[in-house]
Amino acid sequence: MLRLSIIRAIKSGVNNFFRNGWLSITSVSVVSLTLFVISFLMSIVFVSNKLFTEIRNKIGVNVYLNEKADKEIASQMMEEISLMGGVTEVEYTDKKEALTSFKQKVKENDIIIQAIDELRENPLEDFISIKVKDPRKYEIIEGKLITGEFKDYILKVDYSEHKTEINNLDKILSSVTKAGLILIVFLVFVAVMVVLNSIRLTMYTHKIEIEIMRLVGAGNWFIKLPFITEGALYGLAASILVTLSLYPLAILLASALENSGLQLNPILLLNQTIIFAFLIHLLIGIALGIFSSYVAIQRYLRI
Amino acid sequence: MIEYRDVSKLYSEENIALIEVNIKIKSGEFVSIVGQSGMGKSSLLKLLTLEERPTEGRVIFNGVDLNEITKKEIPIHRRRIGVIFQDFKLLPQRTAFENVSFALEVAGEKPSKIKKSVSQILDIVGLSDKFKAYPVQLSGGEQQRVAIARALVNHPEVLIADEPTGNLDVINGREIIDLLLKINELGTTIILATHDKETVNRINKRVIVMDEGRVIRDQAKGKYMI
Ligand SMILES: Nc1ncnc2c1ncn2[C@@H]1O[C@H](COP(=O)(O)OP(=O)(O)OP(=O)(O)O)[C@@H](O)[C@H]1O
Ligand SMILES: [Mg+2]
């Protein structure tokens, strides 16, 4: 008997969802808008994190060696560096290689090529390039190198030039993330209020229905369940809608980024995260719908 | 079967709806409660369906003091009582059949039984050809018949009718009263609240007259007099 009642109540909720076309459209729109904004903010946080990691990875520190350092010394240094914590990459480039790759880079520019060729000696130095996971480590590594046993072989560490960039990047990243999270929390709160009130308004049209239900002896849960089901359906519909709407957006973004030179493909990124995105939308949407319906109906259930 | 014992109902200090009402109703009776507007007829009936609670005194239904019934038990209590109103109170988005079956769904009945009971009851109220009609497609009299069918489908011992002919023309009103008389003959107790003289005289059964919240007359075979 209980199961029959539950199935009936859910069925009636589904029927109401389709029968009350306009009310459903309004509620679904409000929930969708909320999900969309949340989704948008989350993507900004996500994408900026990804972009920054990428930029960070491109930055490395080069340790230029002087005349006294031979290959033997260089490989000893590399070993020492790689033993320092957090180092992900250590690479040695001798000046011949450096020159070839430099020439490669400027091969269009005849004047520079000519100028280099006229020099009898290679103007470049051997260097070791270092990459670390956490850019804050660079400073420590630099300190260790210029005071350590190899200090006499080091011409310069070109770190200082990137120092401010790296630090700024880090600051921007953490404040973007923080601001994003605060905004999301704030928006979820606003959204709950908006959805609650809009469902409360639609509930008013159900007032007579609820009164009649009570008069024929419907129990509280029998009255609530259809509305809660309807609320869950608002969430379901909205999450499908918003997830699908991310595709045209990604395509737009992709064409905007096309010539920016950034290694970021929004469509590919979306394909990778679409299921996760949908689940998040579903979770937030349904929770929002159910919570709002539940609170909204509660006031019509006195007596 | 139903007894009001020293019942008073105050909505607020100045707003007094019922004063020391004592009424006994036996099973199978047809009782008309009459009185002008605002004299407390609806309030009296609402105490029986537990839409309101008495300020003082008690209402006994089948030996049970309704003051003892908790909020949780109210739905079960209401399934034992059928109610109809002046404004029918039908669900506009449901057909005649669905409006009636609703009362059984609420009680958790099986679909096969629902189908049988609803068809039967709609036949009794004379709507066998209107199963699929929505309320807007029905006349006032027909809508009230659907409401009566819904009230009766749970086989209640008592049917409460608050101004059931108030929104109907004379002919339709008479038909509804005749239907109520027929239902009463089949064994259901009926309590009718009305201020329509013609209705009361047509019924020619027990009449209770209310004035300013008091019972001022209670006659076995009464006419409408104030
Ligand atoms: N929910 C309520 N809150 C406050 N006062 C109420 C309420 N319901 C009824 N009253 C008051 O109680 C008194 C009796 O009202 P009741 O509805 O019982 O009268 P009635 O005889 O049914 O009138 P009518 O013939 O117009 O339906 C009136 O003075 C009314 O204003
Ligand atoms: Mg009344």
Side-chain angles (χ1 to χ4, degrees):
Chain A
M1 185 189 128
L2 185 67
R3 220 180 53 200
L4 205 60
S5 298
I6 291 173
I7 293 169
R8 264 179 198 143
I10 290 175
K11 242 191 214 161
S12 125
V14 174
N15 282 340
N16 283 348
F17 179 78
F18 291 105
R19 273 174 179 165
N20 308 323
W22 273 113
L23 301 187
S24 300
I25 290 172
T26 316
S27 305
V28 170
S29 307
V30 174
V31 178
S32 296
L33 212 66
T34 309
L35 288 183
F36 191 79
V37 173
I38 290 175
S39 191
F40 186 70
L41 279 173
M42 286 201 326
S43 327
I44 287 183
V45 170
F46 184 78
V47 168
S48 54
N49 262 299
K50 212 165 160 74
L51 271 181
F52 283 138
T53 331
E54 202 183 294
I55 294 169
R56 216 144 73 167
N57 285 344
K58 275 192 185 155
I59 298 169
V61 165
N62 292 343
V63 181
Y64 293 93
L65 307 177
N66 59 24
E67 310 278 280
K68 287 185 272 176
D70 55 17
K71 282 228 163 88
E72 182 62 27
I73 299 277
S75 71
Q76 276 173 32
M77 278 179 75
M78 280 169 72
E79 205 174 322
E80 169 141 341
I81 291 167
S82 63
L83 286 178
M84 294 175 185
V87 177
T88 54
E89 224 183 289
V90 192
E91 203 178 352
Y92 174 78
T93 310
D94 70 25
K95 49 181 160 184
K96 244 186 269 161
E97 286 172 59
L99 188 64
T100 332
S101 79
F102 180 71
K103 276 182 171 169
Q104 189 66 25
K105 235 189 246 172
V106 297
K107 66 171 181 264
E108 318 270 84
N109 196 327
D110 293 335
I111 300 168
I112 296 179
I113 298 281
Q114 227 176 338
I116 291 170
D117 285 343
E118 270 167 27
L119 287 170
R120 234 168 297 140
E121 243 176 87
N122 185 340
L124 302 175
E125 286 96 24
D126 302 334
F127 66 91
I128 298 170
S129 60
I130 307 168
K131 280 182 184 170
V132 299
K133 224 191 268 163
D134 181 355
R136 279 167 296 194
K137 281 270 158 57
Y138 285 130
E139 217 159 350
I140 301 166
I141 293 172
E142 181 189 25
K144 277 186 186 162
L145 283 174
I146 55 180
T147 57
E149 56 171 316
F150 296 107
K151 59 175 190 273
D152 295 338
Y153 303 105
I154 295 172
L155 196 66
K156 66 170 181 180
V157 179
D158 98 354
Y159 164 75
S160 323
E161 290 155 46
H162 294 307
K163 193 168 170 176
T164 43
E165 284 171 48
I166 292 170
N167 283 343
N168 284 344
L169 217 56
D170 245 39
K171 263 186 219 144
I172 293 169
L173 180 60
S174 64
S175 36
V176 164
T177 308
K178 240 185 253 159
L181 288 178
I182 290 171
L183 256 175
I184 286 174
V185 170
F186 176 71
L187 270 168
V188 167
F189 178 75
V190 172
V192 168
M193 302 310 288
V194 172
V195 173
L196 193 74
N197 274 305
S198 91
I199 291 185
R200 209 172 244 179
L201 278 181
T202 70
M203 203 68 86
Y204 184 77
T205 63
H206 291 302
K207 210 181 131 176
I208 296 162
E209 198 177 334
I210 293 168
E211 191 190 330
I212 294 169
M213 285 173 138
R214 285 207 327 249
L215 282 170
V216 300
N220 266 354
W221 273 105
F222 194 89
I223 298 174
K224 273 185 220 168
L225 213 52
F227 293 104
I228 290 175
T229 306
E230 230 179 314
L233 284 177
Y234 297 152
L236 176 70
S239 58
I240 293 173
L241 214 69
V242 172
T243 308
L244 288 181
S245 78
L246 290 181
Y247 270 100
L249 234 100
I251 292 169
L252 265 170
L253 192 64
S255 66
L257 286 179
E258 208 165 26
N259 297 318
S260 69
L262 287 172
Q263 290 283 59
L264 185 81
N265 184 342
I267 300 168
L268 199 71
L269 199 66
L270 190 58
N271 278 333
Q272 288 163 351
T273 51
I274 192 83
I275 292 172
F276 175 72
F278 177 64
L279 287 179
I280 290 273
H281 291 157
L282 197 66
L283 197 78
I284 299 177
I286 288 186
L288 209 62
I290 288 182
F291 178 77
S292 311
S293 301
Y294 188 87
V295 173
I297 182 125
Q298 211 58 25
R299 73 197 308 227
Y300 289 107
L301 285 180
R302 286 179 209 137
I303 290 212
Chain B
M1 176 203 179
I2 294 165
E3 190 180 348
Y4 288 81
R5 271 190 216 158
D6 300 321
V7 173
S8 295
K9 174 69 187 175
L10 284 74
Y11 287 104
S12 66
E13 281 295 320
E14 323 82 75
N15 198 347
I16 302 164
L18 297 170
I19 306 165
E20 289 169 15
V21 171
N22 280 289
I23 301 173
K24 264 189 197 172
I25 297 169
K26 286 200 281 291
S27 185
E29 267 194 283
F30 194 129
V31 182
S32 304
I33 297 171
V34 303
Q36 284 171 342
S37 189
M39 293 304 150
K41 304 182 295 292
S42 297
S43 301
L44 199 68
L45 301 182
K46 281 180 182 165
L47 294 179
L48 207 51
T49 54
L50 287 178
E51 278 168 85
E52 296 291 348
R53 300 275 191 175
T55 315
E56 254 170 65
R58 59 192 67 214
V59 181
I60 316 284
F61 179 76
N62 275 341
V64 178
D65 182 348
L66 294 189
N67 288 347
E68 312 272 298
I69 288 185
T70 63
K71 217 173 155 184
K72 261 203 170 135
E73 295 164 336
I74 290 178
I76 306 281
H77 169 71
R78 286 192 180 140
R79 288 175 211 164
R80 296 190 194 117
I81 300 174
V83 208
I84 59 171
F85 302 92
Q86 180 170 357
D87 57 353
F88 321 131
K89 295 203 196 296
L90 298 177
L91 295 170
Q93 290 165 330
R94 289 174 181 249
T95 62
F97 187 94
E98 288 165 349
N99 262 288
V100 179
S101 69
F102 184 61
L104 289 176
E105 285 172 14
V106 157
E109 293 289 356
K110 287 201 190 73
S112 55
K113 194 191 162 197
I114 290 182
K115 202 157 181 246
K116 212 177 123 212
S117 307
V118 176
S119 311
Q120 220 170 28
I121 205 83
L122 281 172
D123 280 345
I124 291 175
V125 299
L127 288 177
S128 21
D129 53 342
K130 304 277 183 181
F131 281 21
K132 289 193 175 131
Y134 288 91
V136 286
Q137 299 166 328
L138 295 171
S139 74
E142 288 167 335
Q143 289 186 50
Q144 194 61 292
R145 283 161 194 272
V146 176
I148 291 173
R150 181 181 64 195
L152 292 179
V153 76
N154 270 321
H155 301 293
E157 291 154 79
V158 54
L159 175 66
I160 293 174
D162 192 351
E163 220 83 67
T165 58
N167 273 357
L168 302 177
D169 59 42
V170 179
I171 310 273
N172 271 308
R174 275 185 203 156
E175 279 179 11
I176 291 298
I177 294 301
D178 288 346
L179 180 59
L180 292 182
L181 283 166
K182 181 174 143 196
I183 290 161
N184 178 239
E185 265 163 40
L186 293 172
T188 309
T189 311
I190 293 187
I191 306 175
L192 167 81
T194 183
H195 45 211
D196 180 37
K197 194 170 165 183
E198 134 105 36
T199 301
V200 179
N201 293 346
R202 187 178 181 79
I203 295 165
N204 197 29
K205 288 181 191 278
R206 182 177 171 191
V207 174
I208 293 171
V209 183
M210 306 272 313
D211 187 28
E212 306 262 348
R214 291 177 200 273
V215 175
I216 58 163
R217 195 173 303 143
D218 187 344
Q219 289 177 308
K221 265 196 194 277
K223 299 252 177 203
Y224 187 92
M225 292 179 289
I226 289 175

